[in-house]
Amino acid sequence: MTGRLEGRVAIVTGAAGGIGAASAQRLAAEGARVVLGDIDADAAAAAAQDIEGALALPLDLTDENSVRELARQVVADLGRIDILHNNAAIQNDAQRQADLDVMNLDVAAWDRAMAVNVRGAMLMSKYALPHMIEGGRGSIIHSASGFGVQGESTLTAYGSSKAALIQLNRMIATQYGKLGVRSNCMVIGFVLTPLATQSTPPVVKDILLSHHLTPRLGEPEDIANLVAFLASDESAFITGAAIPIDGGVTAHQPSYADFQKMFAEMGSGKL
């Protein structure tokens, strides 16, 4: 790695596993001191053991005092905050089963999604921003989703919260850009996190892959690569952006996969 983040301090939320853990590892490999925040403090501590110099702290994004305390402790221990990756989101099995179409949506699931995915990101930004401004620079990176820009038959709360996160990103970029803080949003597609790998049936993975313009599905490390770039000075002229990182899923017509299948069958003589 290049050490392009040497001397900087990064906070990653939802860092106990998956994309968050991969991002924390990559930021550390680039030279940053990394703080892993997660509501599962034990899992965050376990993930931090694999990252040299990393610090794990408990974090409940629904509790403003918890967010404030994490920011205070990071500055007390490490002296500054330069990078914030707002990665955490609530998307466990119980939440997914309650997050249905609008008529059948459990309102509590809606409230949980908004509390963690949007309000939590806002609070983290609120308490990191003063330290970034004091230091003269900062990069905030949000993990949004294709569900925030495309409709779906379920996951109403999740998709709506991710759409709100994309707009929060623009607000932060507009309000604090002249003070040296950049804010960007990753619009993430399907990624083979350990949970997704285990819980997604092969037939579903095949359907998802058919809509990709790449020969494979995404990996957590793919997202971590973009996080490291957005955290670095190499992206100094990029702010307020919502960057798709989805293997091209949102780049084509919805009929793409069906036409590809039809053309393949024509070529094989099946039609």
Side-chain angles (χ1 to χ4, degrees):
M1 299 299 176
T2 64
R4 56 186 169 174
L5 301 178
E6 199 71 40
R8 302 187 194 185
V9 174
I11 300 172
V12 181
T13 68
I19 291 171
S23 294
Q25 290 172 350
R26 181 61 191 274
L27 292 170
E30 294 281 1
R33 288 292 306 275
V34 180
V35 178
L36 288 74
D38 203 286
I39 195 167
D40 188 339
D42 291 340
Q49 289 180 354
D50 297 328
I51 303 173
E52 184 176 355
L55 175 67
L57 294 175
L59 174 63
D60 181 353
L61 288 171
T62 67
D63 181 354
E64 184 174 0
N65 289 329
S66 176
V67 175
R68 184 190 296 113
E69 174 59 21
L70 181 138
R72 185 205 65 78
Q73 188 168 346
V74 170
V75 174
D77 292 348
L78 302 179
R80 57 190 302 119
I81 300 173
D82 302 286
I83 301 157
L84 168 62
H85 181 193
N86 278 323
N87 171 72
I90 183 166
Q91 187 69 329
N92 54 36
D93 286 342
Q95 177 72 7
R96 289 181 68 93
Q97 290 170 12
D99 189 2
L100 304 173
D101 63 279
V102 169
M103 289 197 301
N104 296 295
L105 171 66
D106 183 338
V107 175
W110 172 275
D111 292 342
R112 285 191 296 269
M114 295 300 166
V116 176
N117 304 355
V118 186
R119 185 175 181 271
M122 178 276 294
L123 287 173
M124 283 300 309
S125 302
K126 176 182 176 68
Y127 288 104
L129 276 162
H131 303 291
M132 292 179 172
I133 292 168
E134 182 180 358
R137 69 182 180 195
S139 178
I140 300 177
I141 305 152
H142 310 273
S143 288
S145 167
F147 287 103
V149 297
Q150 296 172 296
E152 182 54 274
S153 57
T154 62
L155 296 178
T156 302
Y158 182 79
S160 298
S161 71
K162 292 299 186 178
L165 184 60
I166 292 171
Q167 183 61 15
L168 174 65
N169 166 62
R170 297 187 185 106
M171 292 294 191
I172 294 170
T174 301
Q175 293 163 0
Y176 303 103
K178 295 295 188 182
L179 299 176
V181 179
R182 295 182 298 112
S183 179
N184 289 289
C185 193
M186 303 180 297
V187 184
I188 301 171
F190 181 80
V191 176
L192 288 169
T193 63
L195 178 61
T197 300
Q198 179 181 3
S199 63
T200 307
V203 64
V204 175
K205 292 176 187 172
D206 289 342
I207 292 171
L208 292 170
L209 181 58
S210 73
H211 287 273
H212 281 58
L213 305 183
T214 52
R216 64 171 177 84
L217 296 172
E219 299 283 351
E221 290 72 23
D222 295 316
I223 314 305
N225 290 338
L226 181 55
V227 171
F229 170 68
L230 292 174
S232 76
D233 292 339
E234 293 172 19
S235 61
F237 203 56
I238 303 174
T239 192
I243 303 172
I245 178 163
D246 60 3
V249 167
T250 55
H252 58 73
Q253 296 285 350
S255 55
Y256 162 81
D258 293 330
F259 277 118
Q260 289 293 104
K261 180 180 178 182
M262 182 183 74
F263 293 148
E265 290 177 345
M266 288 174 62
S268 66
K270 293 182 178 179
L271 290 182

